[in-house]
């Protein structure tokens, strides 16, 4: 009886924790069809949003047409302007990239663009991945 109760409590806690961490999934890309990824969003103790971006099979930006130098991750939240979260570069055999960023606003949409320069202040290159439906 105690074992069943322990299992039920563990499942309840796991469900509660996963409910607090929404997962956004990137839509299929027409520019880099094999690219995929997920975005995890959670609140930290300061009530900021921690955004974890994980991508896979993201082609090297120089192999795109037209070639670019980097990928930049952006966030939209409600009526606020687009915010840059940071640069992400694929590496390794699986061409994986990760980015962890913090925002005071709750993200509605996360998207990745191919850019010539990581210092851009607004998206100007083609959108490679997006969580927008």
């Amino acid at each position: 009886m105690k074992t069943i109760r322990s299992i039920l409590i563990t499942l309840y806690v796991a469900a509660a924790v996963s409910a607090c961490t929404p997962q956004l999934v990137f839509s299929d890309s027409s520019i880099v069809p094999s690219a995929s990824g997920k975005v995890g969003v959670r609140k930290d103790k300061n009530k900021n949003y921690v955004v974890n971006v994980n991508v896979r099979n993201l082609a090297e930006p120089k192999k795109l047409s037209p070639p670019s130098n980097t990928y930049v991750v952006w966030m939209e939240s409600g009526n606020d302007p687009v915010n840059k979260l940071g640069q992400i570069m694929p590496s390794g055999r699986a061409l994986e990239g990760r980015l962890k960023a913090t925002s005071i606003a709750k993200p509605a949409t996360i998207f990745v663009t191919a850019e010539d320069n990581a210092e851009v202040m607004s998206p100007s290159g083609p959108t490679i991945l997006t969580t927008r439906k």
Side-chain angles (χ1 to χ4, degrees):
M1 186 68 169
K2 284 186 176 184
T3 305
I4 293 173
R5 189 175 189 177
S6 297
I7 292 171
L8 289 175
I9 290 172
T10 303
L11 290 174
Y12 176 76
V13 170
V17 169
S18 67
C20 296
T21 309
Q23 286 278 331
L24 304 171
V25 178
F26 286 116
S27 300
D28 292 339
S29 172
S30 60
I31 298 172
V32 184
S34 63
S36 63
K38 293 182 181 179
V39 179
V41 179
R42 67 174 175 82
K43 270 191 170 180
D44 66 10
K45 65 181 179 182
N46 297 320
K47 299 193 181 188
N48 292 317
Y49 291 91
V50 178
V51 181
N52 287 300
V53 179
N54 294 300
V55 294
R56 188 176 178 96
N57 297 322
L58 193 60
E60 294 176 26
K62 294 199 181 295
K63 294 184 177 180
L64 297 176
S65 179
S68 296
N69 290 319
T70 189
Y71 292 108
V72 178
V73 181
W74 306 89
M75 176 187 97
E76 291 178 329
S77 58
N79 295 330
D80 294 338
V82 173
N83 292 320
K84 180 168 64 171
L85 294 178
Q87 177 183 5
I88 195 166
M89 287 300 291
S91 63
R93 285 187 72 195
L95 295 170
E96 294 177 310
R98 298 180 193 279
L99 174 72
K100 183 176 182 178
T102 304
S103 170
I104 59 171
K106 182 177 182 179
T109 303
I110 305 289
F111 61 101
V112 179
T113 61
E115 303 289 348
D116 290 328
N117 183 343
E119 304 303 318
V120 294
M121 297 310 291
S122 62
S124 58
T127 299
I128 306 300
L129 293 168
T130 183
T131 60
R132 187 177 293 122
K133 300 289 178 196

